[in-house]
Amino acid sequence: MENKVIKTKKGIFIKTDKEFGAIVFSPYSGLFFAISKEYMTDTINYCEDKKNKLPDEIVKNLNIGIAQEKNFEIKSHWLPDNNAFSYVDDSKLPDSPIVINWLISNNCCFSCNYCYAGDVIDKPTDIADTKEVAQKILESNPLAVVFSGGEPLREKQKIIDGLSVLGNKVGIIIDTNGYRYDKDLAKLLKKNNAVVRVSLDSLHNELNSKIRPLKDNKSNANVLNTIIANIIKYREMKIPVLIHTVVSPVNKNSLFDLYDKLPALGVSGWRIFSVINPNDIEKKEKFEKLMTFGKSKSIDEAQREIQKEITIFSKKHISKSTFSLQIVHSTDSQKNSVILVLPSGKFATESRVRNEKKEIETNSIFEKYNVDLLWHYERYLGTINLK
Ligand code: SF4
């Protein structure tokens, strides 16, 4: 059905638009791809195990995490290549979301120095009915929904309720700090083809805990061991695990180490973000301390240094089918590329002009000054050259 998400026989989720083409989410790799319109029908046929004439370049990317293909470089998430989208301009980007980030929980056992949800965590809020919110999210027609927070795995019943509405209808990603593992929830995640994304900033416990300390501080010595043990448990269940790393002055030298060691843990991919200003005023002092760790004298200087390090790193490393790599150029001016659903059930985005979340209407998500449609696309699919 045009514009509606379908879960195909292969388990891959697809949304189509005849002016644009198809957008795909694979729960085997956790990756998103756009397919140019001439291959839209063949992509559906391929994913439904029907006859098709799909080019190899598309097939091999769709098969990541499914079939044991030879390792290859992921050159672009615009398939078969970026040029195949030369017909696309701003007006042809479909205006239903690729991803909605649902802050299902407003509490967390960590107290990260840069937390983007600091203005939500532990703050009083109306708590909405989970199934009703899930239904509202479904009606907004995203290709995938991220269960996030705070720490979503602290909200067992909410995850069960949310999945009862969204499971197998859209792609599911769980954003977790990795510290909590619940066997029953893991089984449910597996049943719903979910991908688990763990936030981890260094494989040195001391560094990681300096940036991402536990609230109680006492158990910091064991944090990394616990997170790694939990990643291994997900992998034993064949649940794909991706890592999110936020680069700050404390861990900017850890990137090479993470790139070398994460694949050995069975991690399928890695997304790297540069740190941006948190929107919780109470965190300001801690954030400034984090950013002036080392040589940088100011937040601006530290941010420039981080961009430099990421650029050096990205020139030396490629994204591969066995271990995908995506650098998300998160800058303050692109904050409104994300669609959020708050614990209250209200839709919001990060304001571009102020350090706060701005409520938006579900029927005008991409209207001017709400969520930026092009940045939303590029956040999940990488840069595209528009007409
Ligand atoms: S784990 Fe995530 S939600 Fe919790 S404090 Fe850290 S960044 Fe914020």
Side-chain angles (χ1 to χ4, degrees), residues 277 291 297-305:
N277 291 311
M291 295 302 276
K297 292 195 178 57
S298 68
I299 293 180
D300 283 351
E301 191 185 329
Q303 260 152 352
R304 280 196 298 276
E305 276 304 307

Side-chain angles (χ1 to χ4, degrees), residues 20 166 215 229 340 346:
F20 174 80
L166 296 165
K215 267 187 190 151
L340 304 164
K346 297 206 166 103

Side-chain angles (χ1 to χ4, degrees), residues 27-250:
Y28 307 101
S29 62
L31 298 176
F32 293 88
F33 292 103
I35 317 274
S36 63
K37 62 181 175 186
E38 66 175 306
Y39 298 113
M40 187 172 85
T41 309
D42 275 325
T43 298
I44 296 174
N45 287 342
Y46 177 75
C47 292
E48 294 287 18
D49 292 334
K50 291 184 186 158
K51 244 173 125 183
N52 65 85
K53 290 187 187 142
L54 214 52
D56 284 352
E57 188 57 27
I58 299 182
V59 170
K60 65 182 195 180
N61 280 289
L62 293 178
N63 272 343
I64 298 174
I66 304 177
Q68 293 290 334
E69 292 238 8
K70 234 170 92 193
N71 195 14
F72 62 90
E73 181 181 354
I74 302 173
K75 290 195 181 126
S76 170
H77 289 247
W78 300 88
L79 298 176
D81 57 45
N82 214 321
N83 295 334
F85 288 84
S86 54
Y87 57 87
V88 173
D89 61 24
D90 248 344
S91 69
K92 285 194 185 132
L93 291 173
D95 65 357
S96 61
I98 299 180
V99 173
I100 289 183
N101 277 49
W102 185 3
L103 309 189
I104 202 163
S105 164
N106 72 334
N107 61 68
C108 185
C109 55
F110 280 69
S111 176
C112 304
N113 290 323
Y114 53 67
C115 180
Y116 307 134
D119 53 348
V120 171
I121 288 173
D122 297 332
K123 303 285 188 287
T125 179
D126 299 333
I127 301 291
D129 179 88
T130 308
K131 289 189 185 175
E132 276 175 25
V133 180
Q135 190 55 42
K136 217 162 78 173
I137 292 173
L138 197 59
E139 283 159 17
S140 300
N141 201 20
L143 177 58
V145 174
V146 180
F147 286 59
S148 181
E151 173 50 52
L153 296 181
R154 288 169 82 117
E155 308 277 2
K156 192 165 179 172
Q157 192 54 47
K158 285 189 187 174
I159 300 231
I160 294 170
D161 289 346
L163 287 177
S164 73
V165 177
L166 296 165
N168 291 313
K169 296 198 182 78
V170 294
I172 300 289
I173 299 170
I174 306 290
D175 262 0
T176 171
N177 55 38
Y179 195 59
R180 173 179 285 246
Y181 178 85
D182 181 302
K183 209 170 165 189
D184 298 333
L185 275 184
K187 281 188 196 153
L188 189 65
L189 298 182
K190 172 83 185 155
K191 211 168 131 194
N192 284 277
N193 268 174
V195 173
V196 172
R197 277 196 318 215
V198 178
S199 299
L200 190 62
D201 288 351
S202 172
L203 285 168
H204 291 275
N205 189 55
E206 210 183 308
L207 285 188
N208 193 56
S209 297
K210 197 176 181 72
I211 312 166
R212 306 177 51 80
L214 276 169
K215 267 187 190 151
D216 76 4
N217 253 319
K218 289 184 219 118
S219 322
N220 276 336
N222 291 320
V223 167
L224 192 66
N225 285 343
T226 307
I227 295 173
I228 288 177
N230 290 340
I231 290 174
I232 291 168
K233 284 183 201 157
Y234 288 122
R235 290 306 297 132
E236 281 168 355
M237 292 184 72
K238 299 203 167 20
I239 295 175
V241 174
L242 304 178
I243 300 292
H244 266 191
T245 296
V246 174
V247 186
S248 69
V250 177

Side-chain angles (χ1 to χ4, degrees), residues 311-326:
T311 307
I312 294 169
F313 174 81
S314 65
K315 281 189 182 147
K316 293 187 176 161
H317 297 87
I318 56 167
S319 180
K320 294 185 282 191
S321 56
T322 49
F323 184 62
S324 64
L325 174 65
Q326 195 189 355

